[in-house]
Structure formats: structure tokens, C-alpha cells
Amino acid sequence: MEARGERTARSAKERLSGVELLKILAMLIIITSHIVQTISTGNGYIEQNFDVLDLNAASSNIQYLALSVMRMGGGSIIFFVCSAWFLLDSKQVKADKVFRMLTEVWFASVAILIIVYAVRDGSIAPKLIKRSLFPTFYNNNWYVTCYILFYLMHTQLNKVIYSLSQPALLKSTLLLAFLYIFVNYIDAEHFFTTSLTLWVAIYFCVAYIKLYMPRVTASRKAGAAFVLVGYGGHCAIIALTNYLGLHIPSLSSKVLHWSSLCSPFLILAAIGLCIIAVSLKFKSRAVNTISGLSLLIYIIHENPLMGTYVRPYIIGIIYEKVGYTHVALWVLALAAVIFLCTAAVSMLYKVCLQKFVYKISDKIYSLLRGIYGKIEPFLLRIK
């Protein structure tokens, strides 16, 4: 889900495949999480032919416990940490690239709407049609909307970060981490937290580590330790909550309490994975090409219509054939299949339609920029 503007912040020579490979892994984690979300929450638009699992409930079934862990694997956190690592070196915002992203998101959303509308003979909830026509406005893919907002402000954050002394940056980092990571991990929605404020806190953490902890960032062992402690802690706290929930009634429905984007364990693991990935000095055209499809894979597989109608239908077919006996295994298998299918569709779009979409996007952007250029002098004269 890396913005086109971000890629221009790095030259092609700098696109080492270690980070791109990590993004592929992150996308698989995200798809797995979304499948588990469908199994455990359902939706109110269609009648589902599979049992919805309450993963909040403590269970002695190891498969369900595994799903509880997979419900929040930290894939989006990995993506953001990788982006943050390189955005710290960026000195400009490419507005035309942002507009291309917005256009691509809209095109994919409308194309899926047309296809699903035709397949279902128009049987689509009006609310979902409206959301499909304005995907960014309605925050259909939260990561994309949040990333665009963050990307537009990242150069100003960089000015603040680089203007601070090491002690001042450390204090700022600790304060932001305490308010928006640790406090909200324990009990969510405090201090007016949003995904954007959380990202600012993570960005400062990444900045301090990258700028002032060179021995850590140069050590794969340190990265591996971060990953081990991070994912180990994430699994352990969910398993412990599940165990206590089997014996303490008040905790019996709290298993997913720790499945949070604010998880310091998942953030630590993501930073560790990024440190390892940056240290891998290899290049692979295949890996870079697949990683370059990340945005498209994300907006296709997690399109509201796909999540509402298509994914539950597929899960229902699998459930009718094999049930939940080996649910953790077939969830992973389904994630791999969805990844491959959406990657193939994304590649087809990139080869056949992307240049056309970009051409239209650039023309609209130039038109809007020209209109603003005529308005700006008038606005500047207002006193």
C-alpha cells in the first residue's frame, strides 16, 4: 500500500528487495486477518451459510485460539513502519502522485461495483453503492485514507523531528508512545486517539531508533530479538487472557482485547522486521514487481463489496465442505489463494489499464491545479 509519491522519495537503485519482500509478507498477514474478521463478525447484508465464531469468548479449542492471534497480525503496522523508515528521508510531497492514488482507488472501487452489480442482478445495498462511488470519502480502505493524510503532512513532521535535539526527541517520543500506544493498548480511545495520531507516535519511535540507535539498526540480532519479543508477547498475552477467561467469568469475553493497532508488541515486532529487511542487500525484479502491486491487492481484496458478498460466499462453500475442524489451516490457504488471485488481477490492470487511468488522472489534476492557480492570488490579497 505504498504511495507512488513515496516511491519517488527513493531512487530505483535504493529499492532493495528485502523491504519489498517484507511488504509481501505483510499483505498476506493483512488478508489472513480480514478472513478471520469475516468468520468472527459476519455482516448484516446477507444471510451467511457458515457459523460465525465468537473469538472474543475464551475457548479450549486451540484452532480458535490460533484464529484469535491471527485476527490482528500487525500487517498494516509492518507496512507503515516500512513506509516511515523511508519517509524520514523524504523532503517533498508529490501532490500529483497522491491524486493518482485517489484516482486509482476510485477506479478500482467503481469497476468492482459494476462487476458485482451485474453478477448479483443489481441486488446490492444502496448504502454500499454510495460507499463504492466515494471510496476515499467514506474511508472504505482506512489504511489508504490515513496514509494519504499522513503522507501530505510527513515533511512537516520531518522538520520538527530534525529540529529537535536527541534529548528533546527522546522526550517527545516517550510522551507520544505513552499516550497513544501504551495507554490506548490498555484501554482504547483515550486522549482523542485516532489511527493518524497513533501513526505520528509510531513515526517518532521509528525516527528516534533510526537516527540515534545505529548499533540496533545495524544488527540483525537486535531485529530478531524485537520480532521474538514482539510476536512472543502478542501471542502470550492473548493466550493468557484466554486461559484466565476459562476460569474467571469477567474475563471470558476479553480474548480479543489485546488485538489492537496500538499493541506495543506488534509495533516492536514490525520495527524488528523492518531492521532485518533493510539489512538484506539483495535485489529481485519479481519480488519488487509483486510488492509494487500492494496497493491494488489491498483495495481489491478489502473492497466493501468483496468483503460483504464475495468473501462470505467463498467461506460458506469451504465451511459446507470441511467445517471448522482445520479452520486455521484453511484460513491460511485461502489467504494465499486470495493473494495470488488479486495479484493476478492487479497485474492485468497494470498492464492493460493503468497508463490510461494515470493519463486521465494527470489531466484532471492539471485542470484543478490551473483553477487553483487562478484563485490563489485573490485569496492571498484578502486581509
Side-chain angles (χ1 to χ4, degrees):
M1 294 169 288
E2 178 183 9
R4 303 300 190 271
E6 177 187 334
R7 288 182 190 171
T8 60
R10 295 185 280 160
S11 68
K13 292 181 180 180
E14 293 174 312
R15 284 194 63 200
L16 297 175
S17 298
V19 175
E20 306 304 322
L21 183 62
L22 177 56
K23 289 178 180 178
I24 294 174
L25 173 63
M27 183 54 63
L28 285 167
I29 293 174
I30 289 172
I31 294 173
T32 301
S33 175
H34 289 158
I35 294 172
V36 176
Q37 181 182 16
T38 300
I39 292 174
S40 60
T41 59
N43 68 75
Y45 294 98
I46 61 172
E47 183 178 348
Q48 297 169 159
N49 55 342
F50 60 88
D51 293 334
V52 175
L53 296 177
D54 182 8
L55 297 181
N56 265 308
S59 172
S60 57
N61 188 318
I62 191 66
Q63 297 262 355
Y64 297 170
L65 181 59
L67 292 180
S68 297
V69 172
M70 289 189 284
R71 176 63 182 82
M72 178 60 69
S76 60
I77 301 174
I78 295 172
F79 256 108
F80 178 69
V81 168
C82 290
S83 298
W85 191 273
F86 295 104
L87 284 176
L88 282 163
D89 300 323
S90 172
K91 292 181 173 58
Q92 60 180 326
V93 172
K94 298 289 187 179
D96 58 331
K97 306 301 181 181
V98 172
F99 200 81
R100 280 187 173 187
M101 180 186 288
L102 291 170
T103 304
E104 204 160 49
V105 169
W106 181 86
F107 179 84
S109 183
V110 173
I112 292 173
L113 171 62
I114 293 171
I115 294 171
V116 176
Y117 190 91
V119 171
R120 292 183 56 85
D121 294 325
S123 180
I124 299 178
K127 180 179 179 180
L128 294 179
I129 294 177
K130 183 172 64 173
R131 291 179 65 92
S132 296
L133 292 174
F134 304 98
T136 304
F137 181 81
Y138 285 107
N139 198 28
N140 287 353
N141 304 112
W142 74 268
Y143 187 99
V144 176
T145 303
C146 193
Y147 183 86
I148 290 172
L149 293 173
F150 187 88
Y151 175 73
L152 291 173
M153 64 185 284
H154 82 276
T155 53
Q156 300 307 312
L157 288 175
N158 287 351
K159 290 179 181 179
V160 173
I161 289 170
Y162 285 104
S163 70
L164 296 174
S165 64
Q166 182 178 358
L169 180 58
L170 177 61
K171 291 175 184 176
S172 299
T173 300
L174 291 176
L175 178 61
L176 288 170
F178 175 74
L179 294 179
Y180 296 110
I181 297 177
F182 292 101
V183 170
N184 283 280
Y185 181 60
I186 302 299
D187 188 18
E189 299 181 358
H190 292 289
F191 298 105
F192 300 100
T193 187
T194 64
S195 296
L196 192 59
T197 53
L198 171 63
W199 279 15
V200 172
I202 296 175
Y203 196 64
F204 269 69
C205 292
V206 173
Y208 187 85
I209 291 172
K210 182 177 181 179
L211 296 178
Y212 296 112
M213 299 175 67
R215 286 186 295 180
V216 170
T217 58
S219 171
R220 291 186 190 177
K221 289 184 178 180
F226 282 12
V227 174
L228 182 62
V229 173
Y231 277 121
H234 177 63
C235 294
I237 196 167
I238 291 177
L240 177 61
T241 305
N242 183 79
Y243 173 79
L244 293 175
L246 292 173
H247 300 86
I248 303 174
S250 61
L251 297 178
S252 62
S253 61
K254 303 293 185 181
V255 177
L256 292 182
H257 177 79
W258 309 109
S259 294
S260 166
L261 291 172
C262 300
S263 170
F265 294 115
L266 293 179
I267 294 170
L268 183 66
I271 293 174
L273 286 170
C274 185
I275 290 172
I276 295 172
V278 170
S279 72
L280 299 178
K281 308 299 183 182
F282 79 97
K283 296 179 183 179
S284 168
R285 179 174 294 181
V287 169
N288 290 354
T289 298
I290 296 172
S291 177
L293 302 172
S294 297
L295 172 66
L296 294 168
I297 293 172
Y298 177 72
I299 62 178
I300 291 173
H301 98 273
E302 190 50 15
N303 175 274
L305 300 181
M306 299 294 285
T308 300
Y309 299 112
V310 180
R311 192 159 63 231
Y313 175 76
I314 296 172
I315 290 173
I317 292 175
I318 298 174
Y319 176 78
E320 289 180 347
K321 292 183 178 297
V322 300
Y324 285 149
T325 304
H326 302 291
V327 60
L329 292 177
W330 66 250
V331 163
L332 293 174
L334 179 58
V337 171
I338 290 176
F339 177 86
L340 292 174
C341 290
T342 50
V345 172
S346 300
M347 181 59 72
L348 184 64
Y349 159 81
K350 188 173 183 178
V351 172
C352 300
L353 293 171
Q354 190 176 63
K355 288 183 178 180
F356 171 74
V357 173
Y358 280 2
K359 186 176 181 180
I360 298 298
S361 175
D362 292 344
K363 286 184 177 180
I364 296 174
Y365 174 76
S366 297
L367 176 63
L368 294 175
R369 185 175 181 181
I371 293 173
Y372 176 75
K374 294 178 180 179
I375 296 175
E376 185 182 63
F378 171 75
L379 296 175
L380 292 174
R381 287 196 297 270
I382 298 175
K383 302 296 183 179

